[in-house]
Amino acid sequence: MTEPVEMWWARRQWSKGAEVPYPIGHYRRDWERYPVLVRQYHPDLNSGITLTQVPPAAEVYLLWQCDSGHRFVATPEEQRQRPGQSRRRSTWCPECAAGATRRAAPTPARSLSPMRPRAVRVAQRTAPSRSAVGEAFHSALAPKPASAAEGDLRHRLTQRLAVDFGFNAVRVARPFFTRYEVWPDIVIDELRVAIEYDTTGRDGLEHVGRREESDRRKDRLLRASGWEVIRIRCGKLRAIGPWDIEAGGVSTKTVDRLIDRLGEIRGELIVTSYRVH
Ligand SMILES: [Zn+2]
């Protein structure tokens, strides 16, 4: 069964028991013979997964973009079979191919969002009715932002990254407390990174002792779903994960470090493509 890219990736993570089921470069030799497809493929349109991580026979819907800017969904196999139908260059894109046969007056490309092309989400176009493991969504159950600092952090991020900040939950494979969802403070679906803003609270009770253990469990569930977690750890809280940032609070410097972290996790090129200029 052909699946959307997020579901396909999450399933491979599960079946292979690895966070990165196919390392970058693994299928390079299978794809380098198709330079047009290499050019049509953009990791930022496909959850950050590179083409060299996609087996040529994978039953997965990928989002492609031709040189003229047309976007279309096709499996690896469909794309590799296209030249069999015609020798024309337009054959690599269904919309260009249709235009070439029609010989019609040039129609403006039906652009999805010319100003913010990379903000288009594959998941919205192909999402199943029930959310899958690793899928971000809006949960009515999630608590409202707890502190002014957290709101400040979110606001600063909206000024730096053109991503959708409308999500507040991620579907996970096993229950966290009683539900198959977790509620990070900030959810960046485009990069599959959750950001938590941790302080010990007025009474010094938050994120310590047993609560730290539940934080760690939450992070493990997210990672098992293909996500990464960055915790901004304030006050005397020490880092508990590989990407955590120990900080005094929300500042420009904190946000800079956070953006750097995103680049370390998902690659500078991908993160730069979401930068607000
Ligand atoms: Zn085209």
Side-chain angles (χ1 to χ4, degrees), residues 40 65-72 89-90 92-98 109:
Q40 283 185 345
Q65 181 173 348
C66 82
D67 289 347
S68 303
H70 304 132
R71 289 186 177 184
F72 53 95
R89 184 168 175 72
S90 59
W92 293 101
C93 162
E95 207 161 327
C96 287

Side-chain angles (χ1 to χ4, degrees), residues 9 20 43 50 92 126 133 141 151 161 170 207 244 251 272:
W9 189 250
V20 182
T50 72
W92 293 101
T126 53
V133 169
L141 303 166
L161 295 174
V170 178
H207 300 289
D244 292 357
S251 66
T272 302

Side-chain angles (χ1 to χ4, degrees), residues 144-152 197 199:
K144 298 278 170 285
S147 66
E150 190 188 314
D152 183 23
Y197 185 78
T199 70

